[in-house]
Amino acid sequence: MSFSDKNEKREGTGTRRRGIFHATVADIFIAALIVVVIAGLYAYLFGGIAVGEIDEISYVIRVESVRSELTDRISVGDKVYRVSDGEYMGTVRAYEVQNSSVSEPDKSDLYVTISVSAEVGNDGVCVVSGTKILVSSKEEYIYELRTADFYFEGGCISVTK
C-alpha cells in the first residue's frame, strides 16, 4: 500500500479499488486471444460442412495406368478403406477396365464404383468417414484407397445418390 492512496491495493496484473477490477491492456489482449483461438478451433473442426442427412451414394474413382495383370485383384463386394488410417470408405459395386489413356501397351485404366452411406450436407457435399468426396481433377483430391488385395489411388469423376 502506498501513502498516496490508502484505498489502492495492487494484485497481479490489474488494480483493485474498492471492489472494482480495472483491466489492463494485457488482460484484454489475453481475453481476445482466447476468443480467437476458440473461434479458430470451431471453424477448423466444423468448417463449412453443414450436415443434412445420411444418404446412400455411389462415387467413381478413376485409376490411371494400372498394370493389366493387377486388374483382376479387385472384385465386386470388396470393402474399401482409406490407406492413411484404415477408415471404411464403402463397398465396390462395379468396376470397368478400359485401355490406358496414356497409350501404354501393358497398362489399363480402371474405373471403380464404390457405394456407401454418406453425410450429405445442405450444400450437396458428401462426407464419408470425415473425407469430402469431391469431383475434381486437382491433385489435392486424389483418394488413396485399398481393398484386402488391391491398393489404388485416383480422382473422383462422379458422385450420384
Side-chain angles (χ1 to χ4, degrees):
M1 212 179 309
S2 71
F3 291 107
S4 63
D5 187 359
K6 293 183 179 180
N7 294 326
E8 182 179 14
K9 181 179 178 186
R10 293 207 172 264
E11 295 178 1
T13 59
T15 304
R16 191 161 181 80
R17 291 188 183 156
R18 295 184 190 202
I20 300 173
F21 178 75
H22 298 280
T24 65
V25 173
D27 294 331
I28 294 170
F29 177 76
I30 291 170
L33 183 64
I34 290 171
V35 169
V36 168
V37 168
I38 290 172
L41 185 61
Y42 180 82
Y44 176 76
L45 293 175
F46 305 105
I49 302 173
V51 176
E53 58 186 49
I54 303 294
D55 204 355
E56 186 75 18
I57 66 162
S58 291
Y59 59 102
V60 179
I61 301 293
R62 179 181 179 199
V63 186
E64 294 180 334
S65 299
V66 178
R67 288 195 326 245
S68 296
E69 66 268 13
L70 296 178
T71 57
D72 63 348
R73 289 192 175 187
I74 193 162
S75 301
V76 172
D78 285 351
K79 304 284 186 212
V80 179
Y81 302 94
R82 192 169 43 221
V83 170
S84 62
D85 57 8
E87 286 290 324
Y88 177 72
M89 296 296 289
T91 303
V92 175
R93 290 291 170 228
Y95 68 93
E96 181 181 350
V97 180
Q98 293 184 359
N99 291 333
S100 177
S101 59
V102 293
S103 299
E104 294 184 42
D106 61 339
K107 303 269 178 145
S108 300
D109 288 348
L110 183 64
Y111 295 83
V112 182
T113 303
I114 302 168
S115 295
V116 68
S117 292
E119 297 174 18
V120 181
N122 297 333
D123 55 0
V125 174
C126 300
V127 179
V128 177
S129 299
T131 299
K132 292 180 184 178
I133 304 298
L134 300 171
V135 175
S136 177
S137 61
K138 296 181 182 177
E139 289 206 15
E140 65 185 278
Y141 297 111
I142 297 296
Y143 300 96
E144 292 183 83
L145 304 171
R146 67 169 180 83
T147 65
D149 297 323
F150 187 66
Y151 163 86
F152 58 101
E153 66 178 37
C156 181
I157 61 168
S158 73
V159 179
T160 56
K161 287 186 184 182

